[in-house]
Amino acid sequence: MNGRALAAFLTGVADVGDGPRGGIVPHRLPGWARVQHDQPDLRWAEGCPAGAALRLRTAASRLVLAIAATAVELDGVTFPDPPVLAVLDGGVTTARPIAPFDVVPVDGPGAPRRNGPAEVVIERPAVDGVVEIRLPHNCRVELLGLEADAPVTRAGEPAGLRWVHYGSSISHCANAPSPDRAWPAQVADALGWRLRNLAFSGNAQLDPFAARVIASADADLITLKVGINLVNADSMRHRAFLPALHGFLDTIREARPETPIVVFTAIACPAQEHTPGPSVMEDGAYRGARRALEADGGALTLARTREVVERVVAARRERDPRLFAVDGRELFGARDAHLLADGLHPTQEGNDLIARRFPGLLPPEALPG
């Protein structure tokens, strides 16, 4: 079948666009939301199909997925190298590299290098079952077609609690070696949940369109991780943050009056705990800005974002008992800071640690049954 036919097999995406090779490009934000910002890094992040998969039922012994993947090149380093997808079949997950792949330079005048597309071969026992092909979480892809030696039908959405998660690069987990190793994916797999991942590296900015996308998604549980990107980008001060968070929650609540919402504050990041943003990369690690402002009392630090989140949730709890706040340092605290690869992003060991801790930190009242 061609790439356009594969749209019917996709889960975890908002819509698809046209690709340069005649296939389809998955998007995590719908088209109407994509025109409401002009951030190149958000364009890239939402086009990386974290949490998205092709779900199909077949008795085929051989599947061949035609796919074009696009990595980025920064300071002469290609990431990811190579792109990887994961195949879940019969309860076993295997990582499959996508090679060759395209490369787009992001910090220089060089032209994109079109090396792909690739064919990913999936050989399996010729027994009827559901095959889930999890798309790369950290690069863009164009789906071009699928060949099989037996009929293929839609498997539909998986069963389980419908979980929508919004967050930053800490939840996007671009450094995870394969899509199943991102901590939200690990949580969903362990609990048998159906994940819709709306984590966008660098862009958990409380954008109004993001709130509307969350509100439009069928969800049994909504979790939000808020704070770090506001400090990283120095995009808000206290004056804007407090009403923006109220407004973000209002938008979701108006559409989802009964759905539990759990707001996680920022995980530990020593460089920004008490130092305002923006974050600055220096010698391979992030640090807070060296600001030369007077009486800068409204600047946000991570500590202050936690205070605001707790204040907002406390103010709403009396009329919204299904709203909860959790201290993100319980997920990943100062004692875990040695697991920050660059002073900001957890290593894979850190991602695994968050995945193990996350379920136990959800308030029991937020879970059905």
Side-chain angles (χ1 to χ4, degrees):
M1 69 183 73
N2 62 28
R4 295 192 180 280
L6 288 176
F9 294 79
L10 276 170
T11 64
V13 300
D15 64 21
V16 298
D18 295 330
R21 292 180 168 93
I24 58 170
V25 176
H27 289 279
R28 291 190 291 147
L29 288 176
W32 62 261
R34 299 197 298 271
V35 300
Q36 292 190 9
H37 72 87
D38 61 359
Q39 289 296 115
D41 59 336
L42 180 52
R43 289 197 188 97
W44 178 262
E46 72 82 24
C48 295
L54 293 166
R55 282 180 50 84
L56 50 97
R57 177 174 288 279
T58 187
S61 63
R62 191 173 191 268
L63 301 165
V64 181
L65 176 67
I67 183 171
T70 302
V72 296
E73 183 181 75
L74 179 63
D75 295 330
V77 176
T78 299
F79 178 84
D81 186 10
V84 172
L85 57 75
V87 179
L88 175 60
D89 187 5
V92 177
T93 303
T94 56
R96 308 291 178 93
I98 302 173
F101 57 92
D102 298 346
V103 180
V104 175
V106 297
D107 62 342
R113 301 192 295 276
R114 297 186 72 179
N115 305 312
E119 290 188 341
V120 178
V121 178
I122 302 168
E123 295 182 331
R124 58 186 299 276
V127 296
D128 184 67
V130 174
V131 180
E132 184 171 287
I133 303 172
R134 298 183 178 183
L135 301 179
H137 60 301
N138 53 7
C139 70
R140 305 195 79 166
V141 299
E142 181 180 356
L143 302 174
L144 300 171
L146 179 73
E147 296 180 359
D149 60 7
V152 172
T153 59
R154 293 179 59 203
E157 293 282 353
L161 179 144
R162 297 168 299 178
W163 173 33
V164 175
H165 179 67
Y166 173 75
S168 66
S169 58
I170 308 301
S171 301
H172 195 152
C173 298
N175 62 340
S178 60
D180 57 304
R181 298 293 305 282
W183 75 256
Q186 291 190 52
V187 170
D189 287 343
L191 299 179
W193 289 359
R194 187 194 315 176
L195 170 66
R196 174 78 183 276
N197 192 334
L198 293 174
F200 306 114
S201 292
N203 281 281
Q205 297 284 354
L206 299 178
D207 294 309
F209 57 79
R212 294 199 296 278
V213 171
I214 295 168
S216 69
D218 291 331
D220 301 308
L221 172 67
I222 296 169
T223 57
L224 315 172
K225 279 189 84 283
V226 175
I228 186 67
N229 285 160
L230 305 178
V231 178
N232 292 156
D234 195 27
S235 57
M236 287 189 186
R237 298 172 65 80
H238 176 93
R239 168 63 181 83
F241 178 32
L242 189 146
L245 181 55
H246 273 295
F248 200 85
L249 292 170
D250 284 342
T251 297
I252 299 171
R253 264 292 170 253
E254 287 167 4
R256 302 288 165 192
E258 302 297 329
T259 305
I261 302 173
V262 184
V263 187
F264 282 79
T265 63
I267 67 170
C269 177
Q272 300 272 208
E273 287 296 328
H274 304 288
T275 304
S279 298
V280 178
M281 173 66 80
E282 183 177 72
D283 298 327
Y286 286 94
R287 61 166 175 82
R290 300 187 180 107
R291 298 163 71 99
L293 301 177
E294 298 179 14
D296 199 21
L300 291 177
T301 63
L302 280 192
R304 189 146 192 194
T305 66
R306 295 191 192 99
E307 294 170 1
V308 172
V309 169
E310 291 166 2
R311 176 179 167 187
V312 166
V313 172
R316 302 173 69 97
R317 278 275 295 168
E318 184 174 348
R319 56 189 169 83
D320 189 355
R322 299 181 72 77
L323 174 68
F324 309 89
V326 176
D327 191 330
R329 292 170 296 184
E330 295 298 311
L331 272 178
F332 189 99
R335 66 193 181 281
D336 307 310
H338 64 287
L339 297 177
L340 292 173
D342 52 9
L344 175 61
H345 300 98
T347 61
Q348 187 57 44
E349 184 179 353
N351 291 334
D352 297 343
L353 182 65
I354 292 173
R356 292 195 299 272
R357 289 175 175 169
F358 185 88
L361 291 173
L362 291 171
E365 308 95 313
L367 300 175

